[in-house]
């Protein structure tokens, strides 16, 4: 009996270590938000009609600064790559860009930045229609992925009916009338996806590479400065994982009734992302169902917990 107890304790230590490693490898899994019970929820109106967001709920969101000033949003695709919008980088020199990550408050002191090694704007970006409004930023050194820095998943699913529970985040302006207020705290707002034909009736210049999102009530929308940020949703059949469906691109004003925000349709650019990242020597590995990783599946973690439970019982 005593010998079994000794062996049991001997087994528990490596198991605990394995679980610790398994959990840290979870940071590599895209689209996972972390539970954060300390999250404050107040109802200050922001983004346009949104609320303050905690980075642990949107850990893929990054800020792109130009000469130290907030320029646009972006999202972490993996430790090397950030996804954003082409129109953010017209007449911008990449050496003046810095990426802020793992933070939801731009006023934080001693923030760490990442410099940009390569800026890839879409060669067919149309600065009049804002067609192909997508860009990739290769970082000078890889991000140390962790609980507040987690990649977002992307998906080839182009049918908008596959998605629910969509949110957009950003440090963009929170009002357009009077003095424009730019928040220091990251903001979030929930929006609905619009059918493409209905949206192209509302906004006749819409191309097939764009999608629309907004709300029935006026006042909830992305706005100036939110560009490049991610519009993320859950799959109807998998509410545990977040996928980037759109990139904030443009709109006619912000939060106006029957004028939804316009987003780049990310599913149309998967091949472009895969080809460009490979060409730059840091290939983005797209997995169709990227929610559970190759390294260690969520089921294996559950199994380890089960074994731990049996051993401690
Ligand atoms: C902008 O100027 C912008 N209401 C972004 C999004 C929207 C409007 C303008 C959508 O960056």
């Amino acid at each position: 009996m005593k010998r079994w107890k000794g062996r049991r304790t001997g087994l528990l230590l490596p198991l605990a270590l394995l679980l610790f490693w398994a959990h840290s490898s979870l940071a590599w899994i895209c689209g996972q938000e972390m539970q954060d019970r300390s999250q404050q929820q107040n109802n200050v109106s922001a983004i346009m009609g949104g609320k303050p967001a905690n980075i642990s709920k949107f850990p893929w969101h990054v800020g792109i600064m130009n000469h130290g000033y907030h320029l646009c949003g972006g999202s972490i695709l993996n430790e090397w790559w950030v996804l954003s919008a082409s129109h953010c980088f017209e007449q911008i020199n990449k050496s003046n860009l810095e990426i802020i990550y793992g933070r939801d408050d731009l006023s934080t002191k001693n923030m760490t930045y990442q410099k940009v090694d390569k800026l890839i704007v879409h060669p067919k970006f149309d600065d009049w229609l804002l067609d192909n409004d997508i860009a990739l930023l290769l970082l000078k050194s890889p991000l140390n992925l962790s609980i507040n820095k987690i990649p977002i998943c992307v998906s080839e699913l182009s049918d908008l009916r596959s998605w629910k529970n969509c949110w957009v985040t950003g440090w963009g302006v929170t009002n357009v009338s009077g003095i424009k207020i730019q928040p220091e705290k990251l903001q979030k707002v929930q929006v609905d996806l619009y059918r493409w034909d209905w949206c192209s009736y509302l906004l006749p210049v819409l191309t097939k590479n764009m999608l629309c999102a907004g709300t029935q009530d006026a006042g909830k929308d992305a706005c100036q400065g939110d560009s490049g940020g991610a519009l993320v949703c859950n799959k109807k059949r998998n509410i545990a994982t977040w996928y980037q469906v759109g990139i904030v691109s443009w709109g006619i004003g912000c939060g106006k009734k029957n004028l939804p925000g316009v987003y780049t349709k990310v599913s149309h650019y998967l091949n472009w992302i895969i080809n460009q990242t490979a060409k730059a020597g840091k290939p983005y590995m797209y997995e169709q169902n990227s929610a559970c990783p190759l390294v260690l599946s969520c089921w294996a973690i559950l199994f380890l917990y089960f074994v731990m439970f049996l051993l401690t019982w």
Side-chain angles (χ1 to χ4, degrees):
M1 192 66 181
K2 255 192 190 157
R3 212 184 296 157
W4 164 237
K5 262 197 175 166
R7 271 200 210 137
R8 217 166 54 166
T9 345
L11 270 175
L12 270 172
L13 186 67
L15 257 179
L17 286 174
L18 199 58
L19 263 172
F20 176 76
W21 171 77
H23 273 285
S24 55
S25 83
L26 269 180
W28 292 89
I29 312 172
C30 63
Q32 310 299 305
E33 67 172 68
M34 294 298 149
Q35 296 306 323
D36 182 1
R37 288 183 181 79
S38 70
Q39 188 174 7
Q40 282 174 6
Q41 288 287 359
N42 61 39
N43 284 329
V44 180
S45 186
I47 212 180
M48 281 276 306
K51 291 176 188 163
N54 194 309
I55 196 72
S56 65
K57 295 274 168 190
F58 299 90
W60 42 83
H61 192 95
V62 302
I64 304 175
M65 315 291 279
N66 184 38
H67 285 290
Y69 290 99
H70 175 70
L71 173 72
C72 269
S75 54
I76 301 174
L77 281 183
N78 66 17
E79 72 270 39
W80 283 105
W81 291 99
V82 164
L83 189 64
S84 188
S86 264
H87 84 259
C88 293
F89 305 105
E90 288 178 289
Q91 287 141 27
I92 292 280
N93 186 339
K94 71 167 194 298
S95 57
N96 300 323
L97 296 177
E98 283 165 333
I99 311 291
I100 290 178
Y101 55 94
R103 301 265 171 214
D104 43 42
D105 197 327
L106 288 182
S107 65
T108 311
K109 298 250 165 17
N110 303 325
M111 246 182 319
T112 44
Y113 299 97
Q114 282 277 344
K115 295 292 256 175
V116 175
D117 188 31
K118 199 168 184 172
L119 172 63
I120 306 173
V121 293
H122 198 286
K124 291 201 176 138
F125 168 61
D126 181 330
D127 61 2
W128 178 244
L129 287 178
L130 292 193
D131 197 21
N132 303 305
D133 194 9
I134 187 167
L136 282 164
L137 287 82
L138 174 61
L139 304 176
K140 277 216 165 128
S141 55
L143 291 176
N144 197 359
L145 298 177
S146 69
I147 209 152
N148 284 341
K149 297 154 236 161
I150 296 177
I152 185 69
C153 302
V154 289
S155 165
E156 76 287 355
L157 282 182
S158 66
D159 185 351
L160 297 183
R161 287 167 304 183
S162 316
W163 305 106
K164 67 170 196 178
N165 194 21
C166 298
W167 292 80
V168 58
T169 41
W171 279 289
V173 296
T174 56
N175 71 326
V176 275
S177 51
I179 306 164
K180 290 183 181 169
I181 299 171
Q182 214 223 314
E184 284 179 338
K185 182 91 172 113
L186 183 65
Q187 307 293 323
K188 64 177 179 187
V189 73
Q190 188 167 17
V191 286
D192 302 316
L193 302 182
Y194 278 44
R195 277 186 37 209
W196 188 87
D197 15 359
W198 172 238
C199 193
S200 96
Y201 165 74
L202 298 171
L203 299 164
V205 285
L206 206 71
T207 74
K208 284 282 185 186
N209 296 316
M210 300 171 185
L211 64 87
C212 303
T215 52
Q216 277 285 304
D217 319 319
K220 290 188 174 182
D221 197 2
C223 202
Q224 209 181 327
D226 291 320
S227 283
L231 167 71
V232 299
C233 309
N234 294 135
K235 278 185 184 168
K236 279 194 177 147
R237 292 172 53 189
N238 172 6
I239 55 159
T241 305
W242 293 95
Y243 290 85
Q244 181 164 1
V245 174
I247 303 168
V248 180
S249 181
W250 63 278
I252 300 181
C254 305
K256 292 196 176 143
K257 197 166 170 62
N258 284 330
L259 287 174
V262 183
Y263 298 77
T264 310
K265 193 170 183 178
V266 174
S267 61
H268 281 195
Y269 295 93
L270 282 192
N271 282 337
W272 182 75
I273 292 172
I274 292 166
N275 292 339
Q276 291 303 312
T277 54
K279 222 166 90 181
K282 297 273 186 303
Y284 171 71
M285 300 291 180
Y286 171 66
E287 278 178 65
Q288 230 176 9
N289 276 311
S290 35
C292 263
L294 299 168
V295 213
L296 193 87
S297 82
C298 303
W299 286 110
I301 294 179
L302 269 180
F303 177 72
L304 285 176
Y305 268 117
F306 181 64
V307 177
M308 286 266 282
F309 170 73
L310 287 182
L311 285 173
T312 47
W313 204 40

